[in-house]
């Protein structure tokens, strides 16, 4: 079982940067592929980025490529999302998630555990 707690959200101006962190507790963190998702009001939950158990493989949705970077530190049981050049359309609740099935998982239903989410608001 894995428990996930996000932090680092807040209010930032367009063009600014923000770093989100997700702290995992429980057991076997290194056995889980990790992902970041976001959900804005009235919209479906959207895949943002994922990273494999070792951190060797990562993938991003097209809208954040070149701006966001996902990373993990298995020694500290954390996964992070560095967000640069933020845009108002990035405004959403960001959630980290863990899955045991695939390092290519993009659908929310493939993830087993979820954090509570952290709000990111980008002003124009």
């Amino acid at each position: 079982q894995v428990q996930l707690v996000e932090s680092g959200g807040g209010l930032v101006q367009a063009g600014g940067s923000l770093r989100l962190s997700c702290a995992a507790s429980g057991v076997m963190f290194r056995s889980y592929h990790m992902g970041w998702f976001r959900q804005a009001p009235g919209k479906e939950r959207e895949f943002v980025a994922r990273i494999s158990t070792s951190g060797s493989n990562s993938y991003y949705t097209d809208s954040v490529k070149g701006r966001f970077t996902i990373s993990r530190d298995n020694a500290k049981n954390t996964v992070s999302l560095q967000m640069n050049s933020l845009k108002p359309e990035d405004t959403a609740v960001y959630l980290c998630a863990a899955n045991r099935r695939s390092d290519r998982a993009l659908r929310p239903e493939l993830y087993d555990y979820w954090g509570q989410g952290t709000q990111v608001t980008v002003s124009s």
Side-chain angles (χ1 to χ4, degrees), residues 11-12 21 25-26 29 37 40-41 44 46 52-53 62 68 80 82 85 87 92 99 115 119:
L11 176 64
V12 66
S21 295
S25 62
F29 173 74
F37 293 78
E44 297 293 322
E46 177 189 24
S52 60
T53 54
D62 285 344
F68 290 11
S80 298
Q82 178 66 45
S85 302
K87 305 174 181 179
N99 90 83
Q119 176 70 46

Side-chain angles (χ1 to χ4, degrees), residues 50-61:
R50 57 142 173 89
I51 190 167
S52 60
T53 54
S54 67
S56 62
N57 182 31
S58 59
Y59 184 78
Y60 305 86
T61 191

Side-chain angles (χ1 to χ4, degrees), residues 85-99:
S85 302
L86 283 162
K87 305 174 181 179
E89 49 263 46
D90 295 318
T91 296
V93 173
Y94 283 71
L95 308 98
C96 68
N99 90 83

Side-chain angles (χ1 to χ4, degrees), residues 18-48:
L18 210 58
R19 184 176 180 87
L20 306 182
S21 295
C22 176
S25 62
V27 297
M28 299 181 68
F29 173 74
R30 287 170 288 184
S31 296
Y32 288 84
H33 310 286
M34 302 297 297
W36 283 97
F37 293 78
R38 64 188 181 187
Q39 188 165 21
K43 296 184 178 180
E44 297 293 322
R45 187 165 295 180
E46 177 189 24
F47 167 80
V48 177

